[in-house]
Amino acid sequence: GLAFALGVAAVALVELAQVFVGSRFADSTDIITGSLGVLVGVAATTALTSRATASRPQHDVAGLARFARLGVVAWIIALITYHWNPFDFTSDATRVTAGMHQLFSVPFYSYYQGSEFHAFTEMLRKALLAAPLGALLRLSWPRDPQGPPDSLKSFVLLSIGFCVLATIEVGQVFLPTRTPDITDSLIGEIGIMTTFWLAGRLLGLR
């Protein structure tokens, strides 16, 4: 209850602050939808934490891992849908050449072109969009004393996350309405690593 109240208060304060921003629109509907998001996050975290901290049969752990794997697939589809929309792919040589130059440009060059606030917003958006993938990847491969070491598992899972993000950026090379940038993959990987670590901490609570 306290976590939900704090989350709603944060959402309401952000919306209230938009009253003083000329390029934004304050809307009470956003408070409602944001509060629903807070509720879902609190409920999901509470459920996952209680599962991790309680003494559960092995089949429950396996069930959680299967659920997380489905979540990984679903979130990858969501990321592809967001970043490749409207799916107007083209093989035009001019576009592909320009897209490849954008993809392998100097890191953070595209962010430097705009204002500091725009760069911060875009970086935060990229990290937050990729963040759920990190937690789902961590939950999808539970700890097994007889399995490979945790360091190897972490490396494999985090590499999978980065490959997904890099593949999305490569796909944007063929989308005229998108700007591919390997920097976005690096920023998204930071979000993945953060939630990957947090999920591990939650699973380690006793």
Side-chain angles (χ1 to χ4, degrees):
L2 178 60
F4 176 70
L6 290 173
V8 172
V11 171
L13 285 174
V14 169
E15 201 62 30
L16 178 62
Q18 291 184 350
V19 172
F20 305 97
V21 181
S23 59
R24 295 294 176 179
F25 298 95
D27 190 346
S28 59
T29 305
D30 292 343
I31 299 178
I32 297 174
T33 55
S35 299
L36 289 175
V38 171
L39 180 61
V40 171
V42 170
T45 305
T46 303
L48 291 174
T49 304
S50 62
R51 281 197 176 199
T53 56
S55 178
R56 299 281 182 171
Q58 187 63 31
H59 65 82
D60 279 4
V61 176
L64 177 61
R66 285 193 297 270
F67 176 79
R69 289 165 192 159
L70 290 175
V72 168
V73 175
W75 199 253
I76 290 175
I77 293 174
L79 287 174
I80 291 175
T81 302
Y82 178 84
H83 289 291
W84 286 0
N85 185 61
F87 296 92
D88 53 343
F89 289 95
T90 179
S91 58
D92 179 69
T94 303
R95 166 56 204 168
V96 173
T97 301
M100 291 299 294
H101 281 292
Q102 292 172 335
L103 180 65
F104 294 110
S105 62
V106 177
F108 296 96
Y109 177 76
S110 61
Y111 292 86
Y112 180 77
Q113 298 302 305
S115 66
E116 293 85 351
F117 290 111
H118 180 265
F120 175 76
T121 301
E122 287 300 311
M123 291 171 65
L124 191 61
R125 178 184 292 126
K126 297 298 190 304
L128 291 178
L129 282 172
L133 186 58
L136 291 169
L137 285 170
R138 178 63 180 83
L139 296 172
S140 66
W141 196 351
R143 177 174 296 176
D144 184 2
Q146 298 179 345
D150 288 345
S151 57
L152 177 60
K153 288 164 53 175
S154 298
F155 175 78
V156 170
L157 292 173
L158 291 174
S159 297
I160 291 174
F162 181 78
C163 288
V164 169
L165 299 178
T167 301
I168 290 175
E169 293 302 316
V170 171
Q172 290 184 345
V173 170
F174 305 93
L175 295 167
T177 56
R178 294 290 180 172
T179 304
D181 191 347
I182 197 64
T183 306
D184 294 343
S185 300
L186 299 175
I187 295 173
E189 183 68 5
I190 294 175
I192 289 177
M193 293 173 66
T194 302
T195 54
F196 188 93
W197 176 79
L198 289 174
R201 294 288 294 176
L202 287 174
L203 288 175
L205 291 175
R206 290 292 181 271

